[in-house]
Amino acid sequence: QVQLGESGGGVVHPGRSLRLSCAASGFTFSTYAMHWVRQAPGKGLEWVAVISSDGGNKYYRDSVRGRFTISRDNSKNTLFLQLNSLRAEDTAVYYCARDPGGLQWRFDYWGQGTLVTVSS
Amino acid sequence: DIQMTQSPSSLSASVGDRVTITCRASQDISNYLNWYQQKPGKAPKLLIYDASNLETGVPSGFSGSGSGTDFTFTITSLQPEDIATYYCQQYHNLPLTFGGGTKVDIK
């Protein structure tokens, strides 16, 4: 069965960095685009970034472009999100999510999420 | 960015009631709309894609309709296990955007 598992969250000071990972299993990871979606405590969902199946195309929301980098290692079935220059407003649970096809722009499987807290 | 406005933001209904949630886009998004269910402390779950297509394995008591700027999500007969927050999501333009959510509970 499809499984996604995020790790790497934690408490970090403003301006510092963090790297999130998402381990995938139960499907052919290299053939699916993957997304990161976040949710601030008690708030709604916010799309962060997407990477195509081969890693050749990446898109970001404006508020994270230039600070966050999405990447993947298809040989290790793992998705990453590098978070630099973190701000208080980046505090959220970060979910990795699978796109069911070649960028169909929906999320058919989600991980359990990892909490990032940016605080001094 | 395309703004997605859901209404109501919360509702209480009785078991067996028909529940309807609306989602309005700030511009025409054709049928590029998905619906998700999120239970407390859990990740969201895809229910409806392309405005009206039921995701595999999702009970038929859930449905969606609409096109353009106005969309509707319906629970035909509310059950206790349907208690959750429901979100719409557009994919006509990047960034992908979600509605603010509709929290559904039992009266």
mmCIF file of all heavy atoms in Angstrom, chain A residues 55-107:
data_model
loop_
_atom_site.group_PDB
_atom_site.id
_atom_site.type_symbol
_atom_site.label_atom_id
_atom_site.label_comp_id
_atom_site.label_asym_id
_atom_site.label_seq_id
_atom_site.Cartn_x
_atom_site.Cartn_y
_atom_site.Cartn_z
ATOM 1 N N GLY A 55 12.132 15.324 -11.584
ATOM 2 C CA GLY A 55 12.817 16.421 -10.910
ATOM 3 C C GLY A 55 13.141 17.597 -11.807
ATOM 4 O O GLY A 55 13.726 18.572 -11.354
ATOM 5 N N GLY A 56 12.738 17.523 -13.050
ATOM 6 C CA GLY A 56 13.107 18.561 -14.000
ATOM 7 C C GLY A 56 12.279 19.828 -13.902
ATOM 8 O O GLY A 56 12.715 20.897 -14.369
ATOM 9 N N ASN A 57 11.104 19.736 -13.321
ATOM 10 C CA ASN A 57 10.237 20.910 -13.164
ATOM 11 C C ASN A 57 9.861 21.092 -11.708
ATOM 12 O O ASN A 57 9.452 20.142 -11.038
ATOM 13 C CB ASN A 57 8.969 20.750 -14.004
ATOM 14 C CG ASN A 57 9.255 20.802 -15.494
ATOM 15 O OD1 ASN A 57 9.665 21.837 -16.026
ATOM 16 N ND2 ASN A 57 9.072 19.694 -16.172
ATOM 17 N N LYS A 58 10.000 22.333 -11.254
ATOM 18 C CA LYS A 58 9.690 22.670 -9.866
ATOM 19 C C LYS A 58 8.929 23.992 -9.849
ATOM 20 O O LYS A 58 9.271 24.915 -10.602
ATOM 21 C CB LYS A 58 10.971 22.829 -9.039
ATOM 22 C CG LYS A 58 11.900 21.623 -9.096
ATOM 23 C CD LYS A 58 13.212 21.910 -8.387
ATOM 24 C CE LYS A 58 14.186 20.742 -8.553
ATOM 25 N NZ LYS A 58 15.475 20.998 -7.863
ATOM 26 N N TYR A 59 7.916 24.067 -9.015
ATOM 27 C CA TYR A 59 7.145 25.293 -8.869
ATOM 28 C C TYR A 59 6.944 25.562 -7.381
ATOM 29 O O TYR A 59 6.787 24.632 -6.594
ATOM 30 C CB TYR A 59 5.783 25.166 -9.570
ATOM 31 C CG TYR A 59 5.877 24.827 -11.038
ATOM 32 C CD1 TYR A 59 5.781 23.512 -11.467
ATOM 33 C CD2 TYR A 59 6.085 25.827 -11.985
ATOM 34 C CE1 TYR A 59 5.878 23.196 -12.811
ATOM 35 C CE2 TYR A 59 6.182 25.519 -13.335
ATOM 36 C CZ TYR A 59 6.076 24.199 -13.735
ATOM 37 O OH TYR A 59 6.178 23.882 -15.069
ATOM 38 N N TYR A 60 6.915 26.859 -7.030
ATOM 39 C CA TYR A 60 6.808 27.267 -5.630
ATOM 40 C C TYR A 60 5.761 28.364 -5.479
ATOM 41 O O TYR A 60 5.501 29.128 -6.416
ATOM 42 C CB TYR A 60 8.137 27.839 -5.141
ATOM 43 C CG TYR A 60 9.317 26.909 -5.231
ATOM 44 C CD1 TYR A 60 10.111 26.855 -6.374
ATOM 45 C CD2 TYR A 60 9.655 26.090 -4.155
ATOM 46 C CE1 TYR A 60 11.198 25.999 -6.451
ATOM 47 C CE2 TYR A 60 10.758 25.236 -4.214
ATOM 48 C CZ TYR A 60 11.514 25.205 -5.373
ATOM 49 O OH TYR A 60 12.606 24.359 -5.442
ATOM 50 N N ARG A 61 5.200 28.479 -4.290
ATOM 51 C CA ARG A 61 4.422 29.670 -4.004
ATOM 52 C C ARG A 61 5.375 30.826 -3.783
ATOM 53 O O ARG A 61 6.545 30.631 -3.413
ATOM 54 C CB ARG A 61 3.527 29.444 -2.786
ATOM 55 C CG ARG A 61 4.193 29.295 -1.465
ATOM 56 C CD ARG A 61 3.152 29.158 -0.346
ATOM 57 N NE ARG A 61 2.190 30.250 -0.344
ATOM 58 C CZ ARG A 61 0.950 30.148 -0.798
ATOM 59 N NH1 ARG A 61 0.511 28.989 -1.272
ATOM 60 N NH2 ARG A 61 0.133 31.170 -0.763
ATOM 61 N N ASP A 62 4.869 32.034 -4.030
ATOM 62 C CA ASP A 62 5.738 33.206 -4.007
ATOM 63 C C ASP A 62 6.431 33.395 -2.663
ATOM 64 O O ASP A 62 7.604 33.788 -2.611
ATOM 65 C CB ASP A 62 4.926 34.475 -4.338
ATOM 66 C CG ASP A 62 4.583 34.590 -5.808
ATOM 67 O OD1 ASP A 62 5.124 33.801 -6.612
ATOM 68 O OD2 ASP A 62 3.762 35.455 -6.154
ATOM 69 N N SER A 63 5.708 33.143 -1.578
ATOM 70 C CA SER A 63 6.242 33.458 -0.248
ATOM 71 C C SER A 63 7.423 32.573 0.149
ATOM 72 O O SER A 63 8.123 32.883 1.118
ATOM 73 C CB SER A 63 5.143 33.360 0.806
ATOM 74 O OG SER A 63 4.622 32.051 0.864
ATOM 75 N N VAL A 64 7.668 31.488 -0.570
ATOM 76 C CA VAL A 64 8.785 30.611 -0.222
ATOM 77 C C VAL A 64 9.828 30.544 -1.323
ATOM 78 O O VAL A 64 10.936 30.023 -1.098
ATOM 79 C CB VAL A 64 8.310 29.165 0.124
ATOM 80 C CG1 VAL A 64 7.203 29.198 1.175
ATOM 81 C CG2 VAL A 64 7.866 28.414 -1.114
ATOM 82 N N ARG A 65 9.478 31.060 -2.498
ATOM 83 C CA ARG A 65 10.436 30.990 -3.611
ATOM 84 C C ARG A 65 11.709 31.729 -3.250
ATOM 85 O O ARG A 65 11.674 32.852 -2.756
ATOM 86 C CB ARG A 65 9.820 31.568 -4.884
ATOM 87 C CG ARG A 65 10.681 31.356 -6.133
ATOM 88 C CD ARG A 65 10.012 31.907 -7.381
ATOM 89 N NE ARG A 65 8.767 31.213 -7.666
ATOM 90 C CZ ARG A 65 7.555 31.782 -7.579
ATOM 91 N NH1 ARG A 65 7.460 33.054 -7.241
ATOM 92 N NH2 ARG A 65 6.467 31.087 -7.868
ATOM 93 N N GLY A 66 12.847 31.091 -3.490
ATOM 94 C CA GLY A 66 14.133 31.680 -3.130
ATOM 95 C C GLY A 66 14.596 31.311 -1.740
ATOM 96 O O GLY A 66 15.771 31.493 -1.413
ATOM 97 N N ARG A 67 13.700 30.809 -0.911
ATOM 98 C CA ARG A 67 14.078 30.379 0.445
ATOM 99 C C ARG A 67 13.968 28.859 0.601
ATOM 100 O O ARG A 67 14.755 28.247 1.326
ATOM 101 C CB ARG A 67 13.182 31.042 1.487
ATOM 102 C CG ARG A 67 13.246 32.553 1.514
ATOM 103 C CD ARG A 67 12.491 33.122 2.725
ATOM 104 N NE ARG A 67 11.081 32.762 2.718
ATOM 105 C CZ ARG A 67 10.475 32.095 3.702
ATOM 106 N NH1 ARG A 67 11.146 31.706 4.767
ATOM 107 N NH2 ARG A 67 9.165 31.827 3.637
ATOM 108 N N PHE A 68 12.968 28.259 -0.050
ATOM 109 C CA PHE A 68 12.747 26.812 0.038
ATOM 110 C C PHE A 68 13.173 26.167 -1.279
ATOM 111 O O PHE A 68 13.034 26.757 -2.357
ATOM 112 C CB PHE A 68 11.276 26.486 0.270
ATOM 113 C CG PHE A 68 10.732 26.888 1.618
ATOM 114 C CD1 PHE A 68 11.466 27.623 2.534
ATOM 115 C CD2 PHE A 68 9.453 26.499 1.993
ATOM 116 C CE1 PHE A 68 10.963 27.978 3.775
ATOM 117 C CE2 PHE A 68 8.922 26.830 3.219
ATOM 118 C CZ PHE A 68 9.674 27.584 4.113
ATOM 119 N N THR A 69 13.671 24.938 -1.175
ATOM 120 C CA THR A 69 14.042 24.173 -2.366
ATOM 121 C C THR A 69 13.474 22.766 -2.265
ATOM 122 O O THR A 69 13.755 22.054 -1.290
ATOM 123 C CB THR A 69 15.568 24.096 -2.534
ATOM 124 O OG1 THR A 69 16.113 25.415 -2.624
ATOM 125 C CG2 THR A 69 15.929 23.325 -3.794
ATOM 126 N N ILE A 70 12.691 22.393 -3.265
ATOM 127 C CA ILE A 70 12.151 21.040 -3.331
ATOM 128 C C ILE A 70 13.087 20.198 -4.199
ATOM 129 O O ILE A 70 13.607 20.676 -5.215
ATOM 130 C CB ILE A 70 10.709 21.037 -3.877
ATOM 131 C CG1 ILE A 70 10.059 19.661 -3.721
ATOM 132 C CG2 ILE A 70 10.654 21.530 -5.311
ATOM 133 C CD1 ILE A 70 8.553 19.658 -4.042
ATOM 134 N N SER A 71 13.314 18.971 -3.786
ATOM 135 C CA SER A 71 14.165 18.070 -4.564
ATOM 136 C C SER A 71 13.733 16.640 -4.281
ATOM 137 O O SER A 71 12.911 16.390 -3.394
ATOM 138 C CB SER A 71 15.646 18.267 -4.217
ATOM 139 O OG SER A 71 15.890 17.964 -2.852
ATOM 140 N N ARG A 72 14.306 15.715 -5.029
ATOM 141 C CA ARG A 72 13.961 14.306 -4.833
ATOM 142 C C ARG A 72 15.136 13.425 -5.219
ATOM 143 O O ARG A 72 15.962 13.806 -6.045
ATOM 144 C CB ARG A 72 12.723 13.933 -5.643
ATOM 145 C CG ARG A 72 12.866 14.037 -7.144
ATOM 146 C CD ARG A 72 11.520 13.942 -7.845
ATOM 147 N NE ARG A 72 10.885 12.637 -7.619
ATOM 148 C CZ ARG A 72 9.562 12.427 -7.769
ATOM 149 N NH1 ARG A 72 8.767 13.419 -8.122
ATOM 150 N NH2 ARG A 72 9.069 11.208 -7.573
ATOM 151 N N ASP A 73 15.181 12.253 -4.620
ATOM 152 C CA ASP A 73 16.161 11.233 -4.960
ATOM 153 C C ASP A 73 15.364 9.990 -5.332
ATOM 154 O O ASP A 73 14.898 9.252 -4.448
ATOM 155 C CB ASP A 73 17.089 10.965 -3.778
ATOM 156 C CG ASP A 73 18.206 9.982 -4.113
ATOM 157 O OD1 ASP A 73 18.068 9.225 -5.089
ATOM 158 O OD2 ASP A 73 19.203 9.958 -3.381
ATOM 159 N N ASN A 74 15.178 9.780 -6.605
ATOM 160 C CA ASN A 74 14.356 8.655 -7.051
ATOM 161 C C ASN A 74 15.010 7.303 -6.762
ATOM 162 O O ASN A 74 14.316 6.292 -6.670
ATOM 163 C CB ASN A 74 14.028 8.790 -8.535
ATOM 164 C CG ASN A 74 12.960 9.843 -8.804
ATOM 165 O OD1 ASN A 74 12.261 10.283 -7.880
ATOM 166 N ND2 ASN A 74 12.843 10.257 -10.044
ATOM 167 N N SER A 75 16.322 7.286 -6.605
ATOM 168 C CA SER A 75 16.999 6.027 -6.281
ATOM 169 C C SER A 75 16.735 5.610 -4.836
ATOM 170 O O SER A 75 16.863 4.437 -4.493
ATOM 171 C CB SER A 75 18.504 6.150 -6.510
ATOM 172 O OG SER A 75 19.085 7.028 -5.562
ATOM 173 N N LYS A 76 16.340 6.593 -4.008
ATOM 174 C CA LYS A 76 16.070 6.319 -2.590
ATOM 175 C C LYS A 76 14.599 6.539 -2.239
ATOM 176 O O LYS A 76 14.248 6.525 -1.056
ATOM 177 C CB LYS A 76 16.960 7.187 -1.704
ATOM 178 C CG LYS A 76 18.447 6.885 -1.871
ATOM 179 C CD LYS A 76 19.292 7.718 -0.927
ATOM 180 C CE LYS A 76 20.772 7.348 -1.083
ATOM 181 N NZ LYS A 76 21.641 8.174 -0.204
ATOM 182 N N ASN A 77 13.765 6.767 -3.247
ATOM 183 C CA ASN A 77 12.322 6.968 -3.023
ATOM 184 C C ASN A 77 12.062 8.035 -1.955
ATOM 185 O O ASN A 77 11.224 7.836 -1.052
ATOM 186 C CB ASN A 77 11.651 5.659 -2.622
ATOM 187 C CG ASN A 77 11.643 4.637 -3.735
ATOM 188 O OD1 ASN A 77 11.819 4.974 -4.910
ATOM 189 N ND2 ASN A 77 11.454 3.383 -3.381
ATOM 190 N N THR A 78 12.765 9.125 -2.054
ATOM 191 C CA THR A 78 12.674 10.157 -1.028
ATOM 192 C C THR A 78 12.508 11.542 -1.637
ATOM 193 O O THR A 78 13.175 11.889 -2.610
ATOM 194 C CB THR A 78 13.910 10.140 -0.111
ATOM 195 O OG1 THR A 78 14.079 8.838 0.429
ATOM 196 C CG2 THR A 78 13.752 11.139 1.037
ATOM 197 N N LEU A 79 11.607 12.302 -1.043
ATOM 198 C CA LEU A 79 11.345 13.693 -1.393
ATOM 199 C C LEU A 79 11.932 14.568 -0.301
ATOM 200 O O LEU A 79 11.916 14.183 0.877
ATOM 201 C CB LEU A 79 9.831 13.909 -1.492
ATOM 202 C CG LEU A 79 9.310 15.320 -1.716
ATOM 203 C CD1 LEU A 79 9.595 15.774 -3.145
ATOM 204 C CD2 LEU A 79 7.813 15.372 -1.417
ATOM 205 N N PHE A 80 12.426 15.742 -0.690
ATOM 206 C CA PHE A 80 13.015 16.657 0.282
ATOM 207 C C PHE A 80 12.407 18.050 0.144
ATOM 208 O O PHE A 80 11.911 18.434 -0.908
ATOM 209 C CB PHE A 80 14.527 16.766 0.067
ATOM 210 C CG PHE A 80 15.256 15.457 0.156
ATOM 211 C CD1 PHE A 80 15.642 14.782 -0.993
ATOM 212 C CD2 PHE A 80 15.565 14.909 1.390
ATOM 213 C CE1 PHE A 80 16.316 13.580 -0.917
ATOM 214 C CE2 PHE A 80 16.237 13.703 1.480
ATOM 215 C CZ PHE A 80 16.605 13.037 0.321
ATOM 216 N N LEU A 81 12.499 18.791 1.242
ATOM 217 C CA LEU A 81 12.222 20.222 1.214
ATOM 218 C C LEU A 81 13.264 20.893 2.094
ATOM 219 O O LEU A 81 13.278 20.669 3.304
ATOM 220 C CB LEU A 81 10.809 20.540 1.697
ATOM 221 C CG LEU A 81 10.398 22.006 1.530
ATOM 222 C CD1 LEU A 81 10.277 22.382 0.039
ATOM 223 C CD2 LEU A 81 9.077 22.288 2.250
ATOM 224 N N GLN A 82 14.125 21.697 1.476
ATOM 225 C CA GLN A 82 15.118 22.480 2.199
ATOM 226 C C GLN A 82 14.500 23.827 2.538
ATOM 227 O O GLN A 82 14.075 24.547 1.624
ATOM 228 C CB GLN A 82 16.376 22.666 1.350
ATOM 229 C CG GLN A 82 17.445 23.505 1.995
ATOM 230 C CD GLN A 82 18.112 22.826 3.187
ATOM 231 O OE1 GLN A 82 18.369 21.631 3.160
ATOM 232 N NE2 GLN A 82 18.382 23.603 4.228
ATOM 233 N N LEU A 83 14.455 24.144 3.812
ATOM 234 C CA LEU A 83 13.851 25.385 4.271
ATOM 235 C C LEU A 83 14.963 26.286 4.814
ATOM 236 O O LEU A 83 15.600 25.962 5.818
ATOM 237 C CB LEU A 83 12.848 25.128 5.386
ATOM 238 C CG LEU A 83 11.535 24.386 5.083
ATOM 239 C CD1 LEU A 83 11.751 22.926 4.746
ATOM 240 C CD2 LEU A 83 10.574 24.500 6.262
ATOM 241 N N ASN A 84 15.213 27.387 4.135
ATOM 242 C CA ASN A 84 16.228 28.352 4.566
ATOM 243 C C ASN A 84 15.571 29.664 4.972
ATOM 244 O O ASN A 84 14.422 29.925 4.617
ATOM 245 C CB ASN A 84 17.230 28.612 3.439
ATOM 246 C CG ASN A 84 18.045 27.388 3.074
ATOM 247 O OD1 ASN A 84 18.242 26.489 3.896
ATOM 248 N ND2 ASN A 84 18.505 27.344 1.848
ATOM 249 N N SER A 85 16.315 30.470 5.690
ATOM 250 C CA SER A 85 15.839 31.800 6.111
ATOM 251 C C SER A 85 14.429 31.719 6.691
ATOM 252 O O SER A 85 13.539 32.476 6.304
ATOM 253 C CB SER A 85 15.870 32.758 4.918
ATOM 254 O OG SER A 85 17.157 32.840 4.353
ATOM 255 N N LEU A 86 14.249 30.812 7.612
ATOM 256 C CA LEU A 86 12.909 30.558 8.145
ATOM 257 C C LEU A 86 12.362 31.755 8.904
ATOM 258 O O LEU A 86 13.095 32.503 9.556
ATOM 259 C CB LEU A 86 12.931 29.313 9.030
ATOM 260 C CG LEU A 86 12.903 28.004 8.232
ATOM 261 C CD1 LEU A 86 13.387 26.844 9.078
ATOM 262 C CD2 LEU A 86 11.509 27.752 7.691
ATOM 263 N N ARG A 87 11.046 31.905 8.790
ATOM 264 C CA ARG A 87 10.327 33.008 9.435
ATOM 265 C C ARG A 87 9.257 32.420 10.354
ATOM 266 O O ARG A 87 8.831 31.264 10.176
ATOM 267 C CB ARG A 87 9.656 33.873 8.363
ATOM 268 C CG ARG A 87 10.587 34.402 7.290
ATOM 269 C CD ARG A 87 9.790 34.966 6.126
ATOM 270 N NE ARG A 87 10.659 35.506 5.073
ATOM 271 C CZ ARG A 87 10.231 35.863 3.867
ATOM 272 N NH1 ARG A 87 8.946 35.749 3.566
ATOM 273 N NH2 ARG A 87 11.074 36.327 2.976
ATOM 274 N N ALA A 88 8.776 33.243 11.260
ATOM 275 C CA ALA A 88 7.729 32.778 12.163
ATOM 276 C C ALA A 88 6.508 32.272 11.391
ATOM 277 O O ALA A 88 5.862 31.290 11.795
ATOM 278 C CB ALA A 88 7.333 33.893 13.108
ATOM 279 N N GLU A 89 6.213 32.924 10.281
ATOM 280 C CA GLU A 89 5.027 32.543 9.499
ATOM 281 C C GLU A 89 5.185 31.224 8.745
ATOM 282 O O GLU A 89 4.234 30.753 8.117
ATOM 283 C CB GLU A 89 4.632 33.663 8.529
ATOM 284 C CG GLU A 89 5.722 34.116 7.588
ATOM 285 C CD GLU A 89 6.469 35.334 8.107
ATOM 286 O OE1 GLU A 89 6.664 35.462 9.354
ATOM 287 O OE2 GLU A 89 6.898 36.155 7.263
ATOM 288 N N ASP A 90 6.376 30.629 8.799
ATOM 289 C CA ASP A 90 6.578 29.305 8.213
ATOM 290 C C ASP A 90 6.209 28.190 9.197
ATOM 291 O O ASP A 90 6.242 27.009 8.834
ATOM 292 C CB ASP A 90 8.033 29.123 7.777
ATOM 293 C CG ASP A 90 8.448 30.074 6.671
ATOM 294 O OD1 ASP A 90 7.637 30.291 5.739
ATOM 295 O OD2 ASP A 90 9.570 30.610 6.748
ATOM 296 N N THR A 91 5.887 28.562 10.419
ATOM 297 C CA THR A 91 5.477 27.568 11.411
ATOM 298 C C THR A 91 4.228 26.836 10.925
ATOM 299 O O THR A 91 3.202 27.462 10.644
ATOM 300 C CB THR A 91 5.198 28.243 12.764
ATOM 301 O OG1 THR A 91 6.427 28.770 13.274
ATOM 302 C CG2 THR A 91 4.607 27.253 13.767
ATOM 303 N N ALA A 92 4.315 25.523 10.831
ATOM 304 C CA ALA A 92 3.211 24.733 10.285
ATOM 305 C C ALA A 92 3.553 23.249 10.349
ATOM 306 O O ALA A 92 4.711 22.872 10.543
ATOM 307 C CB ALA A 92 2.942 25.108 8.832
ATOM 308 N N VAL A 93 2.533 22.448 10.177
ATOM 309 C CA VAL A 93 2.738 21.039 9.861
ATOM 310 C C VAL A 93 2.952 20.958 8.354
ATOM 311 O O VAL A 93 2.162 21.515 7.576
ATOM 312 C CB VAL A 93 1.523 20.183 10.269
ATOM 313 C CG1 VAL A 93 1.680 18.753 9.770
ATOM 314 C CG2 VAL A 93 1.352 20.206 11.785
ATOM 315 N N TYR A 94 4.029 20.297 7.959
ATOM 316 C CA TYR A 94 4.343 20.139 6.549
ATOM 317 C C TYR A 94 4.020 18.712 6.119
ATOM 318 O O TYR A 94 4.515 17.741 6.717
ATOM 319 C CB TYR A 94 5.821 20.450 6.298
ATOM 320 C CG TYR A 94 6.115 21.928 6.333
ATOM 321 C CD1 TYR A 94 6.126 22.629 7.539
ATOM 322 C CD2 TYR A 94 6.356 22.647 5.163
ATOM 323 C CE1 TYR A 94 6.361 23.991 7.576
ATOM 324 C CE2 TYR A 94 6.600 24.013 5.191
ATOM 325 C CZ TYR A 94 6.594 24.672 6.395
ATOM 326 O OH TYR A 94 6.836 26.030 6.433
ATOM 327 N N TYR A 95 3.169 18.616 5.116
ATOM 328 C CA TYR A 95 2.780 17.323 4.560
ATOM 329 C C TYR A 95 3.421 17.127 3.190
ATOM 330 O O TYR A 95 3.419 18.056 2.372
ATOM 331 C CB TYR A 95 1.270 17.242 4.353
ATOM 332 C CG TYR A 95 0.403 17.316 5.583
ATOM 333 C CD1 TYR A 95 -0.221 18.502 5.951
ATOM 334 C CD2 TYR A 95 0.168 16.182 6.352
ATOM 335 C CE1 TYR A 95 -1.059 18.565 7.055
ATOM 336 C CE2 TYR A 95 -0.663 16.228 7.467
ATOM 337 C CZ TYR A 95 -1.264 17.424 7.810
ATOM 338 O OH TYR A 95 -2.083 17.477 8.914
ATOM 339 N N CYS A 96 3.899 15.932 2.931
ATOM 340 C CA CYS A 96 4.195 15.585 1.545
ATOM 341 C C CYS A 96 2.965 14.867 0.988
ATOM 342 O O CYS A 96 2.216 14.207 1.740
ATOM 343 C CB CYS A 96 5.443 14.714 1.410
ATOM 344 S SG CYS A 96 5.376 13.095 2.219
ATOM 345 N N ALA A 97 2.734 15.035 -0.293
ATOM 346 C CA ALA A 97 1.543 14.472 -0.902
ATOM 347 C C ALA A 97 1.842 14.049 -2.333
ATOM 348 O O ALA A 97 2.588 14.737 -3.044
ATOM 349 C CB ALA A 97 0.401 15.490 -0.875
ATOM 350 N N ARG A 98 1.247 12.963 -2.729
ATOM 351 C CA ARG A 98 1.471 12.449 -4.081
ATOM 352 C C ARG A 98 0.469 13.039 -5.060
ATOM 353 O O ARG A 98 -0.718 13.199 -4.738
ATOM 354 C CB ARG A 98 1.338 10.917 -4.077
ATOM 355 C CG ARG A 98 1.823 10.254 -5.351
ATOM 356 C CD ARG A 98 1.588 8.760 -5.324
ATOM 357 N NE ARG A 98 0.212 8.419 -5.693
ATOM 358 C CZ ARG A 98 -0.176 7.184 -6.027
ATOM 359 N NH1 ARG A 98 0.702 6.197 -6.030
ATOM 360 N NH2 ARG A 98 -1.444 6.956 -6.335
ATOM 361 N N ASP A 99 0.957 13.372 -6.243
ATOM 362 C CA ASP A 99 0.098 13.754 -7.348
ATOM 363 C C ASP A 99 -0.207 12.478 -8.134
ATOM 364 O O ASP A 99 0.717 11.766 -8.508
ATOM 365 C CB ASP A 99 0.826 14.774 -8.218
ATOM 366 C CG ASP A 99 -0.054 15.426 -9.264
ATOM 367 O OD1 ASP A 99 -0.611 14.698 -10.101
ATOM 368 O OD2 ASP A 99 -0.175 16.662 -9.242
ATOM 369 N N PRO A 100 -1.467 12.168 -8.407
ATOM 370 C CA PRO A 100 -1.794 10.858 -8.975
ATOM 371 C C PRO A 100 -1.323 10.623 -10.394
ATOM 372 O O PRO A 100 -1.359 9.490 -10.872
ATOM 373 C CB PRO A 100 -3.318 10.802 -8.901
ATOM 374 C CG PRO A 100 -3.751 12.219 -8.883
ATOM 375 C CD PRO A 100 -2.682 12.962 -8.149
ATOM 376 N N GLY A 101 -0.884 11.661 -11.088
ATOM 377 C CA GLY A 101 -0.427 11.434 -12.452
ATOM 378 C C GLY A 101 0.637 12.440 -12.827
ATOM 379 O O GLY A 101 1.293 12.996 -11.947
ATOM 380 N N GLY A 102 0.760 12.674 -14.090
ATOM 381 C CA GLY A 102 1.724 13.659 -14.558
ATOM 382 C C GLY A 102 1.232 15.067 -14.290
ATOM 383 O O GLY A 102 0.716 15.731 -15.185
ATOM 384 N N LEU A 103 1.388 15.521 -13.080
ATOM 385 C CA LEU A 103 0.934 16.847 -12.659
ATOM 386 C C LEU A 103 -0.569 17.033 -12.923
ATOM 387 O O LEU A 103 -0.981 17.840 -13.764
ATOM 388 C CB LEU A 103 1.764 17.948 -13.321
ATOM 389 C CG LEU A 103 3.179 18.088 -12.748
ATOM 390 C CD1 LEU A 103 4.020 19.056 -13.548
ATOM 391 C CD2 LEU A 103 3.135 18.511 -11.290
ATOM 392 N N GLN A 104 -1.348 16.270 -12.206
ATOM 393 C CA GLN A 104 -2.796 16.430 -12.238
ATOM 394 C C GLN A 104 -3.262 17.426 -11.187
ATOM 395 O O GLN A 104 -4.451 17.697 -11.086
ATOM 396 C CB GLN A 104 -3.474 15.076 -12.078
ATOM 397 C CG GLN A 104 -3.206 14.138 -13.257
ATOM 398 C CD GLN A 104 -4.037 12.889 -13.220
ATOM 399 O OE1 GLN A 104 -5.150 12.884 -12.722
ATOM 400 N NE2 GLN A 104 -3.495 11.801 -13.745
ATOM 401 N N TRP A 105 -2.310 17.920 -10.389
ATOM 402 C CA TRP A 105 -2.569 19.026 -9.478
ATOM 403 C C TRP A 105 -3.599 18.684 -8.406
ATOM 404 O O TRP A 105 -4.396 19.545 -8.000
ATOM 405 C CB TRP A 105 -2.964 20.286 -10.245
ATOM 406 C CG TRP A 105 -1.995 20.640 -11.300
ATOM 407 C CD1 TRP A 105 -2.143 20.502 -12.640
ATOM 408 C CD2 TRP A 105 -0.663 21.157 -11.105
ATOM 409 N NE1 TRP A 105 -1.010 20.920 -13.300
ATOM 410 C CE2 TRP A 105 -0.088 21.320 -12.382
ATOM 411 C CE3 TRP A 105 0.096 21.511 -9.982
ATOM 412 C CZ2 TRP A 105 1.200 21.812 -12.578
ATOM 413 C CZ3 TRP A 105 1.379 22.006 -10.167
ATOM 414 C CH2 TRP A 105 1.915 22.151 -11.454
ATOM 415 N N ARG A 106 -3.591 17.460 -7.954
ATOM 416 C CA ARG A 106 -4.356 17.069 -6.791
ATOM 417 C C ARG A 106 -3.520 16.099 -5.980
ATOM 418 O O ARG A 106 -2.464 15.665 -6.439
ATOM 419 C CB ARG A 106 -5.704 16.444 -7.174
ATOM 420 C CG ARG A 106 -5.625 15.144 -7.965
ATOM 421 C CD ARG A 106 -7.028 14.682 -8.320
ATOM 422 N NE ARG A 106 -7.062 13.393 -9.007
ATOM 423 C CZ ARG A 106 -7.173 13.250 -10.314
ATOM 424 N NH1 ARG A 106 -7.224 14.325 -11.089
ATOM 425 N NH2 ARG A 106 -7.228 12.061 -10.847
ATOM 426 N N PHE A 107 -3.981 15.790 -4.770
ATOM 427 C CA PHE A 107 -3.172 15.045 -3.817
ATOM 428 C C PHE A 107 -3.934 13.792 -3.395
ATOM 429 O O PHE A 107 -4.896 13.892 -2.628
ATOM 430 C CB PHE A 107 -2.870 15.926 -2.604
ATOM 431 C CG PHE A 107 -2.593 17.367 -2.963
ATOM 432 C CD1 PHE A 107 -3.495 18.367 -2.627
ATOM 433 C CD2 PHE A 107 -1.433 17.720 -3.641
ATOM 434 C CE1 PHE A 107 -3.242 19.683 -2.965
ATOM 435 C CE2 PHE A 107 -1.183 19.038 -3.982
ATOM 436 C CZ PHE A 107 -2.091 20.026 -3.645
#
